[in-house]
Amino acid sequence: MAQRGSRRIRYAVVGAGNLAQVAILPAFQNAGENSELVAIFSSDRTKREALREQYGVEHRAGYEDFEQVCRDAEVDAVYIVLPNTMHREFTERSARAGLHVLCEKPMATTVEDCEAMIRVADEHDVRLMVAYRLHFEEANLRAIELLRSGKLGEARMFSAVMTQQARSGDIRTRADVGGGALLDEGPYPINAARYLFGAEPTEVVCFTQEDPDARFKGVDGTAFALLRFSEGRMGQFAISHAASAVSSYRVICEKGDLRADPGFGYDSERKHFITVDGKTEERTFEKQDQFAPELLYFSKCILENREPEPSGWEGLADVRVIVALQESARTGRAVKLAPFERRQRPSIDQLIVRPAIEPPEPVNAPSPTVE
């Protein structure tokens, strides 16, 4: 295990789907100051061999050999990029092996799984971070900074849209692995509303639709949600796996408003449209690598033995809202949420900028969306 003062944390990437291949594995070239890729896990032998050659990683294996290969490769931390229903299993296996865990979102599919993941990490004294890349990205951090400055007055309303056309057969369309719009896209607007308001929702209402086409069986293809916060603040969002690609959010305040468009993706530049007293100012943020900052930050937390700011508790905060939205959609009633305190919020101090990387052609891992 790497100790304080060591130069690099040695990572295993667990899962080799599209996101891992086009964004996470390439990001290690921008995170070399304290992070190193030493092992790759996939159930697909073709992927393993192609990625070994591409990244020069000798340690690669299927999931059944996870613990032994991690020992052989002297792994310090894992980045879990598996289907949602596998997050808890591999977090627990990693923690019991003494490995720190960076886990993709949603953290898990149930509150109970999230709580178990936090518990096992604490019991084995390893750090657990959920991969909220926007907690280190400039456009979103500048939005938080602007709202905290008071320039726009008190925030009153939040509205977001995040839609795409899902590829038939993609895991996001499958109930057995935790698919559906709420679990896949829901964390983005929920998390944004929470960090922009600096508060937790108290009540939610949700309508979902299992789309009639053959892609969606047992999962929500489309969802529309309302979130009530304290002090009269309200949020809403629309998400879908069956609509043209849109990604934006808007915060309306007492004196003006902020629109971020696009708001949530990682493959394009971003724009802010800030309106005060009827005058709109536009600001552009260049496309950046959003995954290397996660690695750099998490490695620093491990080396300095400190809790990361999107910790397991941040992942749980979103999943509890998603579960409440699922209940509302199922019952047709509003669902109240128990009080939940979050002291840590993302701030501009977490900004890490690294240049964009041209994504490689993935192996046996097509895009999750219809091109």
Side-chain angles (χ1 to χ4, degrees):
M1 294 289 292
Q3 301 298 320
R4 184 189 300 269
S6 297
R7 292 179 56 209
R8 290 184 177 182
I9 296 299
R10 295 168 62 85
Y11 281 87
V13 171
V14 187
N18 184 267
L19 180 67
Q21 291 196 42
V22 305
I24 294 169
L25 293 171
F28 279 92
Q29 67 181 281
N30 273 336
E33 68 185 67
N34 65 7
S35 307
E36 180 181 4
L37 176 65
V38 297
I40 297 172
F41 290 89
S42 171
S43 60
D44 185 326
R45 182 181 180 86
T46 300
K47 288 182 183 179
R48 295 198 303 264
E49 294 310 310
L51 295 173
R52 176 194 67 79
E53 185 171 336
Q54 185 173 354
Y55 293 100
V57 175
E58 291 303 320
H59 296 278
R60 73 277 183 202
Y63 305 129
E64 65 279 2
D65 299 319
F66 175 72
E67 287 83 359
Q68 183 59 55
V69 173
C70 283
R71 284 193 294 271
D72 293 344
E74 299 182 312
V75 169
D76 301 309
V78 299
Y79 192 145
I80 297 174
V81 204
L82 293 166
N84 299 333
T85 51
M86 299 175 72
H87 289 183
R88 175 179 175 177
E89 175 192 349
F90 274 85
T91 294
E92 291 184 337
R93 289 176 69 174
S94 300
R96 288 172 180 144
L99 306 174
H100 305 283
V101 178
L102 175 55
C103 181
E104 265 301 328
K105 55 198 177 301
M107 181 179 176
T109 59
T110 69
V111 168
E112 293 74 18
D113 282 354
C114 292
E115 291 173 339
M117 293 161 72
I118 293 169
R119 185 166 56 249
V120 74
D122 287 344
E123 288 172 352
H124 294 274
D125 194 27
V126 298
R127 307 282 75 75
L128 170 59
M129 176 172 141
V130 181
Y132 288 101
R133 54 184 168 76
L134 298 180
H135 286 215
F136 311 97
E137 188 272 330
E138 186 170 13
N140 280 277
L141 292 176
R142 294 296 180 192
I144 296 169
E145 183 182 51
L146 174 64
L147 292 176
R148 290 178 181 174
S149 74
K151 179 180 178 181
L152 303 182
E154 290 294 323
R156 294 301 185 198
M157 290 181 282
F158 169 87
S159 181
V161 177
M162 187 177 185
T163 55
Q164 60 186 345
Q165 284 286 356
R167 177 179 55 80
S168 180
D170 184 76
I171 61 172
R172 291 157 185 80
T173 68
R174 291 170 45 195
D176 61 318
V177 291
L182 277 171
L183 281 166
D184 178 50
E185 296 174 317
Y188 292 92
I190 293 168
N191 199 252
R194 291 178 47 249
Y195 63 61
L196 291 165
F197 282 157
E200 302 301 315
T202 60
E203 187 176 15
V204 301
V205 175
C206 185
F207 302 94
T208 61
Q209 178 174 324
E210 187 177 324
D211 223 79
D213 70 43
R215 288 176 296 175
F216 306 100
K217 291 184 179 180
V219 300
D220 51 302
T222 298
F224 188 89
L226 299 174
L227 312 176
R228 185 196 300 274
F229 291 80
S230 61
E231 300 176 6
R233 295 168 293 186
M234 301 290 288
Q236 66 173 17
F237 65 83
I239 54 178
S240 181
H241 282 151
S244 62
V246 176
S247 171
S248 66
Y249 66 77
R250 191 169 192 170
V251 188
I252 302 175
C253 306
E254 292 175 311
K255 302 175 184 178
D257 69 87
L258 162 68
R259 178 166 61 92
D261 191 357
F264 305 112
Y266 61 84
D267 57 358
S268 67
E269 67 177 19
R270 295 161 182 263
K271 290 183 181 291
H272 279 182
F273 301 88
I274 303 165
T275 302
V276 181
D277 297 329
K279 297 179 181 179
T280 300
E281 171 190 346
E282 180 179 327
R283 182 174 183 185
T284 300
F285 302 86
E286 293 182 0
K287 177 183 173 182
Q288 301 286 344
D289 179 352
Q290 294 183 20
F291 294 86
E294 291 181 318
L295 294 166
L296 290 163
Y297 175 85
F298 189 49
S299 293
K300 186 175 182 182
C301 288
I302 295 169
L303 292 167
E304 296 179 356
N305 194 29
R306 60 186 175 90
E307 187 78 354
E309 180 280 316
S311 67
W313 292 102
E314 183 71 3
L316 170 60
D318 283 340
V319 170
R320 67 190 286 271
V321 177
I322 292 170
V323 169
L325 290 168
Q326 291 171 329
E327 180 183 347
S328 174
R330 185 175 61 253
T331 63
R333 298 193 298 267
V335 175
K336 292 187 180 296
L337 287 155
F340 188 84
E341 184 177 358
R342 287 292 296 134
R343 292 177 181 159
Q344 287 185 307
R345 303 280 181 191
S347 73
I348 197 64
D349 295 338
Q350 293 175 202
L351 175 62
I352 302 174
V353 177
R354 291 295 183 271
I357 296 174
E358 188 65 27
E361 188 66 28
V363 178
N364 292 351
S367 169
T369 59
V370 178
E371 298 297 335

